[in-house]
């Protein structure tokens, strides 16, 4: 009995309520006439789309940098990866691989600079990360207009320059991962390739967090003074975690794009950090600790609610209440985590 | 020389963006009188909002991004005024009377939340603003028109559910500005609005001299010591946020009566979005702000808003560049001010340590000789 | 100076923390205008006694105390420090509690500002009154004048020299209405000698006006100069309560550290003739524990003790050598130079360190014992790793980490549920053993242990000391042990150095007379010419 109480105390009421809410949505779905099979397929697909961006937050949480509200910086690296690859005219698997490669290059550069910056502003890192992310997105909005992209299907028709707001990936690598080995179970399409790709990334981070560097990173987040006394460079570990986070953010947006079918530039990445952060927290992570289980569970719960609420609630009430629920759940969860007393170990 | 250097270092954010404005003016192709009349108009409209940020900074809570809650309260007040079809100045008074109790409640709530998020008040306040958006939308779209009847058709959504996304405030437009409007040359000056701002300035000056103001300054610097001296830190922090929220509520009403229409579900965001940039570009930091910072900031931020989009458009021959430019500048001001402030703090701490080290070294050397 | 009327009487004060007796039957009296010098080693119970006097909540939270306190003949029991303040007791702590951006005046009147009420007060309460700055300034000037010092009432604290801050603190206490008793806790620790002189004469001036003072200082010559009577605490008991007249600094020092019992000569190992650790002109910038200029040598296989009072820099020595705080000077270990300011390099010179800050630096409280014990070895020595993909990278070897943890859990008798238990769940003594295990896992040739027995129970203390002795004896490990407990050092070390004001005041054999150690700690050792003679 007491173990149930501790479990609830550790896990937190908000998460339990969210899980129960999702469960009730699944139960209610068939009653109100929603196709459950299609819905589950939808949830799986959106899980695959978003999981890597949630995963990207883990290294920085573990190294004590907090919730990476500067995730858009990684997303920009990913956008550079896909747009440059498309400009080069590369398609299919080659295109995707080159895009990943370019993303990694830019991700490392951006992540390094971003990490150095964060090392110099210890204190209100999360606020600064957020605004640095916002500024970067707006700076790139200008760059998308002035960079010399000129491929006809990328640029705006009437001017012949400046990227379109949304660029179709259909002729490049759209749905490439989704369609790989896709099959259906009772009307539920399983996006095998996408899930495998997510699994690969999760495995990569899992292994990375177990290497000497990954272990040092966790120790830095757990107690920087301990880590330093053990000969670990705290600043370096924080920078490495920021680089990994930024690169993963870029790869995350690539996975998102191929499934979504479109590359969205300009201010589209502006608020992408918030749902990712919220998903991680719903999965049971705190501002200082996060695990692979948190990522998988959290993305599933969060995307589940995002997918199921509109289909169920709109069927019943015929309005957009689901949007309001999304806003309240996303931000309520973040506030809950930020105001939760970080357990001070005695 | 040293003075010049420290002046530049202390005002680096202001100077950077002042330089950008000065460069942007010729490229924007705007006339001086156009810029000035625009500035007067915008100054009257929006400086009240920026004042809302002073007290929380004084109390050591950083930029109160949760002022959005106050702006929301102001908007709810305006919705009531318009819906009850109360015109002009009376309408604004009604809006204020509805908004103030609401913002006291919301301010108390946000103060409680921020007290639980010590050390990360700013990011929490920011997210709190978004959270409030959800509640507000729920109120505006579902409670209004259901539990609270909407009387006026112009307020209701076309399909009958809740408050419209864009609300015309014609009935109360200029309810403050136009009480007395003075023509000076080509510029028209809203005398009463300026009087209200002047009264607010006096209030802030007076407030700083009160016991509560002194307590806020004390907790802003050293919470532990203030607590040991018997000051109720938590309560003082909540009061700072409550006053800030109430000021934001009034500020938003003043802002919207000048504009004459409101995006029901996004205008409050604009308030928080720009007020932080204004006070920071005016030279405030997250730990220090004055009336001077507000005035400089409001002028400078609006000069940037007016000139840079046009300059960007002219330079890059693209209207969209201009549009993104002002967003970039707005976020850039906040980001660079926060970064530079944190950086300066770190350097000051490093320097202080280095000083100690040098004295230790000197003593060691002296000891070594002896 | 004493007027003869009783102000304060303590009767039979006893206090225990979790079965640990820290104060036993403390009784003494204080007259109006009298200055008491309260001395004792760290841990003698001075702080606890003052906490009881002040009604600090921590006392009630830990089960309260026995005995009575009478002020002006009335028994008092303060529930919070504010009650004590209201009753006319002021306290100046070792750390400054001033608001840096406020002026002298504002700090003196902090939260007791003179106010002018106005209409807003009727609606919103007293806090809307405007400060009466003129009256506040007058009060500040008066308090400063009472102290008999020169202080600018309008200067910002952040711009003041240290001495002025101390005077501002005291001025704040005497600005209170009806202040009768001042407690000054090591007020001269941060002052220069001239400033300290001024402070002492201020204290006399205050006493002349009828204010009683409890003066806590480790600078014994100050006590003899200013106090009327002296109370010496040792191990929670009063060992002396005498008028100061005729008492010499040497007497006090002997009473303070005093156990006359001869320490039983421990079975010390025989150390070799070769110098293993050589420290020359070391300075360390560790806040609160600044090391100014320290030189000493440690023989191979020796247990070298470093003692001294808190804040004098003994802790800085180990932290500086280990690269945890900015340091300079020359350190060689086994003939090899140790690169300073680089923890990794220090660990690679076969040195290990058990920090005095167990929870802050010593442990990963939220992680498992395996992690705590194996982490440093993994990072510094690349042990407990499995190479993957032909050594491209390597991952944690959890099996070997577990084996390591089990090995030490057994050999050090660490009481826990298993190697997976989290460090924060262990008791203080077992946590300390984890810290030792972490250091031993590095197989060091030289071990720094800082305050190894602080805050752990008697049984665990004995095991920790015995373990150190065994490693020294069986593996020839050279150990530098830093401790505030002189007895402990004398029981285990070959030689004991005493640090005072960031320098080595002297090095003595453990068999030396305790009074000699006491003198070294009071800054009156060989090198210095206090008024000892």
């Amino acid at each position: 009995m007491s173990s149930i109480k501790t479990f609830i105390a550790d896990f937190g009421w908000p998460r339990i309520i969210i899980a129960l809410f999702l469960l009730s949505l699944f139960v209610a779905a068939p009653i109100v006439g929603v196709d459950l099979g299609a819905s589950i397929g939808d949830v799986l697909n959106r899980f695959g789309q978003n999981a890597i961006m949630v995963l990207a937050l883990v290294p920085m949480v573990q190294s004590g940098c907090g919730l990476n509200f500067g995730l858009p910086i990684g997303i920009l690296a990913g956008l550079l990866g896909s747009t440059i690859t498309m400009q080069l005219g590369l398609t299919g698997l080659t295109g995707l691989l080159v895009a990943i490669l370019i993303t990694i290059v830019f991700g490392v550069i951006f992540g390094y600079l971003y990490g150095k910056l964060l090392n110099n502003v210890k204190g209100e890192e999360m606020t600064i990360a957020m605004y640095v992310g916002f500024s970067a997105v707006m700076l790139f909005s200008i760059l998308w207009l002035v960079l010399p992209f000129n491929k006809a299907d990328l640029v705006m028709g009437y001017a012949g320059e400046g990227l379109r707001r949304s660029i179709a990936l259909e002729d490049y690598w759209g749905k490439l991962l989704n369609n790989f080995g896709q099959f259906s179970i009772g009307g539920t399409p399983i996006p095998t390739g996408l899930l495998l790709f997510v699994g690969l990334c999760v495995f990569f981070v899992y292994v990375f967090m177990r290497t000497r560097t990954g272990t040092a990173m966790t120790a830095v987040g757990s107690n920087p003074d301990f880590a330093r006394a053990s000969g670990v460079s705290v600043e370096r570990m924080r920078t490495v975690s920021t680089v990994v986070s930024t690169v993963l953010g870029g790869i995350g947006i690539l996975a998102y794009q191929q499934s979504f079918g479109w590359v969205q530039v300009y201010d589209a990445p502006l608020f992408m950090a918030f749902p990712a952060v919220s998903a991680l927290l719903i999965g049971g992570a705190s501002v200082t600790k996060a695990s692979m289980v948190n990522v998988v569970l959290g993305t599933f719960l969060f995307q589940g609610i995002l997918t199921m609420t509109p289909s169920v609630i709109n069927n019943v009430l015929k309005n957009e209440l689901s949007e309001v629920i999304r806003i309240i759940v996303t931000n309520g969860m973040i506030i809950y985590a930020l105001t939760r007393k970080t357990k001070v170990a005695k | 020389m040293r003075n010049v250097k420290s002046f530049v270092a202390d005002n680096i954010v202001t100077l950077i963006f002042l330089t950008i404005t000065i460069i942007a003016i010729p490229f924007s192709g705007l006339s001086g009188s156009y810029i000035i009349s625009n500035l007067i108009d915008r100054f009257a409209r929006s400086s009240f909002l920026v004042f809302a940020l002073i007290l929380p900074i004084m109390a050591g809570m950083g930029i109160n991004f949760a002022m959005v809650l106050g702006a929301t309260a102001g908007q709810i007040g305006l919705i009531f005024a318009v819906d009850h079809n109360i015109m002009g100045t009376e309408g604004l008074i009604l809006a204020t009377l509805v908004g103030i109790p609401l913002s006291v409640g919301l301010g108390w709530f946000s103060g409680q939340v921020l007290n639980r998020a010590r050390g990360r008040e700013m990011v929490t306040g920011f997210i709190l603003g978004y959270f409030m958006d959800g509640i507000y939308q729920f109120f505006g779209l579902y409670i209004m028109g259901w539990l609270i009847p909407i009387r006026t058709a112009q307020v209701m959504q076309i399909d009958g559910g809740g408050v419209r996304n864009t609300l015309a405030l014609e009935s109360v437009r200029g309810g403050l500005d136009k009480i007395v409007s003075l023509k000076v040359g080509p510029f028209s000056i809203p005398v009463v609005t300026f009087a209200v701002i002047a009264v607010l300035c006096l209030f802030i000056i007076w407030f700083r001299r009160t016991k509560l103001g002194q307590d806020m300054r004390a907790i802003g610097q050293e919470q532990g010591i203030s607590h040991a001296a018997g000051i109720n830190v938590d309560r003082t922090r909540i009061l700072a946020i409550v006053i800030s929220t109430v000021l934001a509520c009034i500020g938003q009403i003043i802002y919207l009566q000048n504009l004459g229409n409101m995006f029901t579900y996004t205008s409050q965001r604009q308030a928080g979005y720009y007020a932080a940039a204004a006070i920071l570009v005016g030279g405030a930091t997250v730990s220090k702000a004055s009336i001077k910072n507000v005035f400089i900031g409001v002028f400078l931020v609006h000069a940037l808003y007016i000139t840079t989009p046009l300059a960007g458009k002219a330079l890059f021959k693209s209207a969209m560049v201009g549009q993104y430019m002002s967003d970039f500048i707005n976020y850039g001001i906040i980001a660079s001010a926060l970064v530079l402030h944190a950086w300066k703090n770190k350097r000051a701490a490093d320097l202080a340590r280095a000083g100690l080290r040098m004295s230790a070294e000197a003593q060691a050397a002296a000891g070594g000789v002896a | 100076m004493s007027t003869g009327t009783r102000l304060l009487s303590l009767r039979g004060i006893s206090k225990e923390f979790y079965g640990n007796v820290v104060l036993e039957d403390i009784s003494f009296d204080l007259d109006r205008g009298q200055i008491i010098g309260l001395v004792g080693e760290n841990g003698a119970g001075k702080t606890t006694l003052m906490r009881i006097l002040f009604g600090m909540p921590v006392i009630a939270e830990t089960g309260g105390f026995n005995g009575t306190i009478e002020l002006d003949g009335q028994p008092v029991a303060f529930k919070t420090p504010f009650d004590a303040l209201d009753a006319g007791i002021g306290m100046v702590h070792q750390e400054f509690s001033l608001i840096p951006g406020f002026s002298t005046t504002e700090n003196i009147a902090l939260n007791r500002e003179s106010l002018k009420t106005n209409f807003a007060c009727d609606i919103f309460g007293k806090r809307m009154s405007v400060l009466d700055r003129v009256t506040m300034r007058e009060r500040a000037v008066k308090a400063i004048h009472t102290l008999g010092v020169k202080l600018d009432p309008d200067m910002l604290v952040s711009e003041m020299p240290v001495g002025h801050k101390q005077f501002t603190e005291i001025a704040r206490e005497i600005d209170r209405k009806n202040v009768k008793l001042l407690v000054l806790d090591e007020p001269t620790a941060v002052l220069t000698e001239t400033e300290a002189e001024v402070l002492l004469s201020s204290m006399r001036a205050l006493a002349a006006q009828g204010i009683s003072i409890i003066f806590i200082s480790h600078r014994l010559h100050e006590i003899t100069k200013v106090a009327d009577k002296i109370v010496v605490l040792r191990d929670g008991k009063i060992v002396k309560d005498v008028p100061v007249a005729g008492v010499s600094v040497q007497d006090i020092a002997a009473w303070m550290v005093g156990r006359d019992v001869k320490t039983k000569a421990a079975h010390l190992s025989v150390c070799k003739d070769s110098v293993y650790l050589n420290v020359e002109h070391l300075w360390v910038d560790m806040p609160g524990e600044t090391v100014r200029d320290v030189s000493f040598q440690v023989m191979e296989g020796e247990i070298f003790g470093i003692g001294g009072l808190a804040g004098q820099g003994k802790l800085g020595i180990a932290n500086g050598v280990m690269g945890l705080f900015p340091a300079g000077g020359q350190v060689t270990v086994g003939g090899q130079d140790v690169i300073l300011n680089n923890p990794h390099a220090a660990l690679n010179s076969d040195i290990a360190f058990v920090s005095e800050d167990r929870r802050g630096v010593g442990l990963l409280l939220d992680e498992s014992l395996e992690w705590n014990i194996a982490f440093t070895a993994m990072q510094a020595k690349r042990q407990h790793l499995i190479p993957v993909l032909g050594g491209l990278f390597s991952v944690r070897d959890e099996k070997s980490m577990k084996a390591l943890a089990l090995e030490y859990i057994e050999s050090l008798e660490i009481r826990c549920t298993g190697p997976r238990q989290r460090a924060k769940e262990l008791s203080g003594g077992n946590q300390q053993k984890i810290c030792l295990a972490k250091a031993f896992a590095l197989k060091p040739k030289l071990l720094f242990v800082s305050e190894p027995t602080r805050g752990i129970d008697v049984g665990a203390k004995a095991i920790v000391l015995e373990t150190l002795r065994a490693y020294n004896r069986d593996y020839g490990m050279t150990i530098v042990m830093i401790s505030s407990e002189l007895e402990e050092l004398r029981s285990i070390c070959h030689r004991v150095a005493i640090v005072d004001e960031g320098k080595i005041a002297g090095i003595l054999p453990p068999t030396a007379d305790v009074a000699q150690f006491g003198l070294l700690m009071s800054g009156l050792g060989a090198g210095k010419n206090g008024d000892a003679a």
Side-chain angles (χ1 to χ4, degrees), chain C residues 271-473:
Chain C
C271 47
K272 296 181 183 157
D273 261 351
S274 55
V275 171
Y276 191 68
L277 167 69
N278 186 24
V279 175
E280 277 173 39
H281 299 304
L282 178 74
W283 60 261
V284 182
D285 169 21
M286 175 174 174
E289 285 281 343
T290 313
V291 178
R292 301 192 189 282
D293 180 13
V294 157
S295 304
F296 61 90
Q297 294 181 328
V298 179
M299 299 296 151
E300 193 166 353
E302 183 177 12
I303 303 182
F304 185 78
I306 301 180
L309 294 170
Q312 299 300 314
K314 65 177 185 299
L315 298 178
I317 296 174
N319 280 287
V321 173
M322 295 310 292
L324 300 183
F325 287 95
Q330 186 80 24
V331 177
T332 57
V333 169
Q336 299 278 314
D337 278 353
V338 177
I339 303 163
L340 292 174
N341 305 312
N342 183 342
H344 194 75
L347 291 168
N348 275 334
S349 308
D350 290 327
I351 319 177
F353 174 43
V354 177
S355 171
E356 69 284 350
D357 187 358
R358 204 154 56 220
R359 290 155 194 281
V361 180
L363 292 170
L364 286 171
L365 290 167
D366 286 324
E367 311 291 344
S368 66
L369 302 186
E370 293 172 5
W371 272 57
N372 274 284
I373 296 175
F375 182 80
T376 312
M378 182 197 298
Q379 297 300 326
K381 310 263 168 174
R382 294 183 175 269
Q383 290 162 350
H384 314 293
L385 292 166
I386 312 172
V388 179
L389 295 178
L392 189 65
F393 63 95
S394 43
V395 297
R396 296 198 287 272
D397 183 350
E398 309 233 319
K399 258 192 205 151
S400 108
M401 286 168 70
K402 186 177 173 190
L404 180 79
L406 285 173
E407 180 192 329
Y408 282 105
I409 287 173
E410 198 189 322
S411 69
L412 299 184
E413 296 172 40
I414 298 168
R415 249 168 254 147
C416 58
T417 59
R420 286 280 165 129
Q421 195 175 9
R422 288 198 284 181
K424 67 175 170 197
E425 293 163 8
L426 298 193
S427 70
N430 285 307
Q431 286 182 340
Q432 185 64 4
K433 290 182 201 166
I434 297 287
C435 295
L436 285 173
K438 177 182 78 170
F440 293 150
L442 292 168
K443 306 267 176 277
K445 296 205 175 92
L446 172 64
L447 177 68
F448 281 97
V449 275
S450 213
E451 303 283 12
T453 61
R454 182 192 278 177
I456 66 181
D457 60 64
V458 185
K461 245 181 214 183
I463 297 178
V464 165
L465 292 181
E466 191 43 51
T467 308
L468 289 174
R469 219 178 260 145
Y471 268 79
N472 170 258
R473 189 179 55 224

Side-chain angles (χ1 to χ4, degrees), chain A residues 132-154:
Chain A
V132 168
F134 287 162
S135 314
V137 170
M138 293 332 289
L139 178 67
F140 267 82
S141 295
I142 299 171
L143 291 181
W144 301 132
L145 286 168
V146 299
L147 287 176
F149 288 105
N150 60 13
K151 208 150 169 294
D153 54 343
L154 294 183

Side-chain angles (χ1 to χ4, degrees), chain B residues 52-96:
Chain B
L53 293 175
I54 288 189
L55 292 189
I57 292 179
M58 213 163 101
M61 304 177 80
I63 308 279
N64 179 22
F65 287 107
M67 69 175 278
V68 174
L69 273 64
T72 308
Q75 287 176 203
I76 292 174
L78 282 172
I79 293 172
F80 272 85
V82 173
D83 191 35
H84 286 77
N85 210 13
I86 304 195
M87 318 269 264
T89 315
E90 287 91 2
L92 293 182
I93 292 172
L94 175 71
T96 316

Side-chain angles (χ1 to χ4, degrees), chain A residues 210 212 223 228 230 346, chain C residues 324 359-360 376 379 396:
Chain A
R210 297 175 77 84
R212 180 167 169 264
N223 180 354
R228 207 165 76 85
S230 295
K346 287 190 194 168
Chain C
L324 300 183
R359 290 155 194 281
T376 312
Q379 297 300 326
R396 296 198 287 272

